[in-house]
Structure formats: structure tokens, C-alpha cells
Amino acid sequence: MTPLPAGAPAWEPAEVPVQPPLHGVVTADVAVVGAGLAGLACAYHLAERAPGLDIAVVDAERPAAGASGRGTGLLGPRAGPAIDRAVRRFGAVTARRMHLSSVRAVDQVLDLCARLDARCGLRTGAQIVATRSPAHLVALARQAKAYRALDLDVPVLSGAAIRTRIGVPYTAGLLHRVAATLDPAALTCALARACAAKGVRFYGDSPLRAVHPGDLVGPELVFPHGRLYAGQAVLAVNSGARDVSLPVGTVLPLEVYAVATAPVGATAYAALGGRAGDAFVDAAPMAPYFRLLPDGGLVAGGGTVTAPAGLDASRLQAVRERAWSWLGRWLRRLHPDLSDVRIVHRWSGRVGMTFDDLPVVGPVHGFPDVWYIGGCCGHGLAMSVAHGAHVAGALLGEPEPGDPLPWHRSQAPRLPVDGLGRLLLRGYVNTLGRATRRTC
């Protein structure tokens, strides 16, 4: 049997702008570091709203090489903690604003796909969050009560209603109507091409080494073979902030996993919601999920997460193998017609997590004219685009109306993640993973 290609996403490579490495001394009005969805959305909105602005985008590799191109394409609302916990922490008014902001973020991505005419396999449909565990049923009931109290349109689905939409044997769930699925790498690359068409310059294979506050000409960004001086800088580097000692709190890199299957039969495809395009998310702690591909296959993800810091290559690969095997077993148990489905792709990606479940989108303390975007906690497909647009407006002096949202802040809580702290964190993550595997 031919070994599966470890780390190969299901997405086809897409065309990207020419991106030579950054050499020598370069200047720009605005420098954006990170060619994922957040950085590119920021560059796109800047170029569109301020034509003639000199914008440079720099990436450690290339557009879509990171989390934005290695996701699984679930586009749905959610930002921050679950809605009932958001009410307890921030109050009803703010919790409602948070949820509505995440719904608008989904709409922003849909609008962007249309404006770019992005060929990204977009399928609009609902997102179902469901459970078959009594413990998680209680948690979903608390969320449903909070949604009703806040007059938010997130109805409850019975087990029978779930089976009508997606033929899986779950007890109950919540229906998020505004959602979709798509190829995240294709969207990211389409956004990069749109930026280039507006005059944005690209540099690739140039990891950020240091950031220095500017004296006269703005911040200085240091790369392996050159320096960039900009009037303003946006660092959409997610957990890479730690590598350059940015004071944005703890944004921890966690590795998540996904698999994709060969096309399933027409009967199974229809039974799993093929016509409607709905996506399914288990309410377990690590939220295993699946969604259908336009070619008739399925993508599954979640279920396992790893704190990779301190793991050598062999141990990390062993963790990946276990995670991919578990996902395959979970997927095959969902429906009788999936019992012998073939896995054709498997890959991993890294997301930035904060310890309070909130992103960080704001100016960096002690670094004038430097902004940071990161820590979407696994919900970055919609929120990254929204965050990029928000920062573009702030740089242009066009802030969003209303009070800042809880993630419009300069730093997350800071916690020790070295030494004993790393061991405790890994134990906590492993415990969550075991709980998921017991209940799914």
C-alpha cells in the first residue's frame, strides 16, 4: 500500500503574485507582515480605500502557506467563548454584539468571494452544532437559553431534525443559519492576486526577525536579508508574535488535524446533506466536525489538538499519526455508507490560542504605529477577514462605529508556557482530547 502523503491538504495549489525575498533596505507607507487572510484583508482594504498608498506585504513563506491555507473551510459564526459564558463575562449587551459581529464577519467573507469572483468552491449552507452526550447536551441547553434570551436566531434542532438535514445519529443541536464552506487556500490566493492588482508589493521567504520602534520614519522591521522601514506596520503573525518578543500576551501555537476522503457514493452524499451544503460540528471539547466537498468527498477535522512546543520531530509525527487515525475512525462511524471510505489527504495546521478564548486585535504597547492581529482560537476564517478590515479602517482614521469589542485590545492574558507550565498545559490539552474521544 502506498503511504499517505503526510501534511498534504486537499486544496489544489493556486496562483499567487510574484514575491521575491526582501533584500536590502525597503520602505513603504504601510508594511503588512503575514500573507494570510488577516494580513491580506488589511492590505486589500487599505489599497481599495486609499489608492496610491504604498503597501508592502511580507511573508515568511508565501500567501496561504500558514493557517489560512491549511484550514478546512468551515465558515461560520463564533468569536470568543460560548454565548452563555460570554454573557457571564461581558454582560448581555456585549455578548449579543459579539455574536452579531461574528455573523457579519461571515457575510463579509461571502461578499469578498463575490467581489473577487473567487473560484474557491463556495457552498452556502447552515452549520449544525450537535451532541449525543448527556453532559454536552446540558451545555448546549445553556447556550440555547442564552441565544433565546438575547433574541438571536439560533434555533434548537431535535435529533429527528438533524437526521433530516444530515443523516447522523445525534440527540439535539443548534442551527447557525448564516454559514458556508469553501477552499480557504483558493480564497487566500485570490485575495493576494486582488491586492497585487491594486499595486500592493509582495515579498516572500522572509521571516520576521525583529521589530524596533521607529525614531523618525516609523517602525523598523528586520528580516534575514534586509530591513523594511514603514510609516505604519501590521503584524498578522498569530503565534509568531512570541518569536519577535511582541508584548501581546500569550498567543499559543496549537496544532490541529484534518483528513479528506475520496468521493463517497451518491446515496451517502445526499444522506449527509450534499444538496443543502450544511456542515456538522460535534459539541465535544475538541469539536470534531465534517463537511462535504464539491467533488463528493468529505473533510473532517478537530478531535485532537497538540501543543507542539518541546516535541521532537519523531514524537510530533507519532501524535499526528494517532490524530489522523482517530479522525478516520470517527468519520467512518458517522454513517453506514462511510464504513470503508478511503482517506486520500491528511494534514495539520497551527492556530493561535489565547487563554481567555478572545483574539487580540490592536496597537502594540511600546511600538508606535504597530498593530497586531492574532489569536482567533480556531475561528479565523471569518474573523481574520473582519479583523483585517477593522485594522485598515483604524489606520486610515475611519474607526468602526460603536464601542470596541472585547477582542479589540493590545494583549491577551500572559501565562507561563515554558518548563513546568508547558507540562501542565500539555496535560490539560491531553485531558480534553481524551474526553472528546470518550464521548464521540
Side-chain angles (χ1 to χ4, degrees):
M1 181 177 177
T2 303
L4 292 172
W11 324 122
E12 295 291 333
E15 178 187 354
V16 294
V18 175
Q19 45 193 319
L22 190 147
H23 283 275
V25 176
V26 176
T27 61
D29 294 328
V30 181
V32 177
V33 180
L37 284 169
L40 292 173
C42 183
Y44 176 82
H45 284 285
L46 285 170
E48 185 170 71
R49 292 154 69 175
L53 198 66
D54 182 21
I55 305 166
V57 173
V58 189
D59 195 81
E61 296 182 53
R62 62 190 184 284
S68 293
R70 299 183 70 83
T72 50
L74 262 70
L75 178 65
R78 169 84 185 269
I83 190 70
D84 56 315
R85 289 192 287 121
V87 170
R88 292 196 298 272
R89 284 173 56 183
F90 306 110
V93 173
T94 298
R96 189 173 194 276
R97 289 180 60 232
M98 290 167 66
H99 178 77
L100 292 176
S101 175
S102 75
V103 174
R104 285 195 300 273
V106 174
D107 286 331
Q108 282 182 271
V109 176
L110 296 177
D111 177 66
L112 189 63
C113 289
R115 291 166 68 186
L116 301 179
D117 192 23
R119 298 180 180 180
C120 58
L122 176 68
R123 302 181 75 221
T124 56
Q127 190 174 105
I128 298 168
V129 180
T131 187
R132 52 190 171 193
S133 158
H136 301 146
L137 189 61
V138 172
L140 279 188
R142 287 197 296 263
Q143 293 174 40
K145 182 179 179 181
Y147 284 124
R148 286 195 302 272
L150 298 177
D151 194 26
L152 295 170
D153 182 24
V154 184
V156 173
L157 292 180
S158 67
I162 292 171
R163 288 189 292 275
T164 299
R165 301 180 71 107
I166 297 180
V168 295
Y170 274 64
T171 306
L174 299 174
L175 179 70
H176 295 277
R177 301 185 195 274
V178 181
T181 60
L182 53 83
D183 174 341
L187 174 60
T188 306
C189 293
L191 191 52
R193 294 193 299 272
C195 287
K198 293 180 179 296
V200 174
R201 290 178 287 137
F202 280 81
Y203 299 93
D205 296 318
S206 300
L208 183 65
R209 296 299 192 214
V211 183
H212 302 303
D215 295 324
L216 297 175
V217 293
E220 176 191 45
L221 310 178
V222 181
F223 300 93
H225 305 292
R227 296 169 183 261
L228 196 161
Y229 295 91
Q232 298 170 306
V234 179
L235 308 182
V237 295
N238 217 358
S239 59
R242 188 182 182 201
D243 298 335
V244 290
S245 301
L246 280 184
V248 296
T250 300
V251 181
L252 187 73
L254 292 181
E255 187 164 284
V256 293
Y257 306 94
V259 298
T261 75
V264 300
T267 302
Y269 193 77
L272 292 166
R275 294 186 182 88
D278 294 345
F280 175 87
V281 182
D282 195 298
M286 296 300 182
Y289 58 85
F290 80 89
R291 63 95 157 188
L292 297 164
L293 293 170
D295 71 356
L298 286 81
V299 166
T304 304
V305 65
T306 305
L311 295 179
D312 61 31
S314 62
R315 289 180 65 196
L316 184 55
Q317 186 59 27
V319 169
R320 290 169 177 164
E321 296 289 345
R322 288 195 296 270
W324 289 324
S325 295
W326 185 89
L327 269 176
R329 292 193 299 272
W330 178 80
L331 192 59
R332 293 181 179 107
R333 290 196 301 265
L334 281 174
H335 192 276
D337 289 341
L338 298 179
S339 60
D340 59 353
V341 70
R342 186 165 57 93
I343 303 296
V344 294
H345 292 277
R346 56 187 194 170
W347 69 99
S348 62
R350 299 210 175 162
V351 298
M353 302 292 293
T354 63
F355 286 87
D356 61 359
D357 296 323
L358 291 172
V360 180
V361 185
V364 180
H365 287 316
F367 291 79
D369 298 310
V370 176
W371 283 64
Y372 168 79
I373 305 173
C376 283
C377 302
H379 302 284
L381 183 48
M383 295 309 296
S384 291
V385 171
H387 294 334
H390 169 81
V391 172
L395 295 181
L396 295 174
E398 303 170 3
E400 294 177 5
D403 295 331
L405 287 158
W407 51 79
H408 294 154
R409 57 185 183 162
S410 293
Q411 62 182 30
R414 187 168 184 84
L415 293 175
V417 292
D418 293 315
L420 179 59
R422 179 186 295 168
L423 295 176
L424 293 173
L425 172 68
R426 183 165 293 127
Y428 172 70
V429 169
N430 290 341
T431 299
L432 288 179
R434 286 192 293 272
T436 300
R437 291 188 284 275
R438 284 196 302 268
T439 57
C440 291

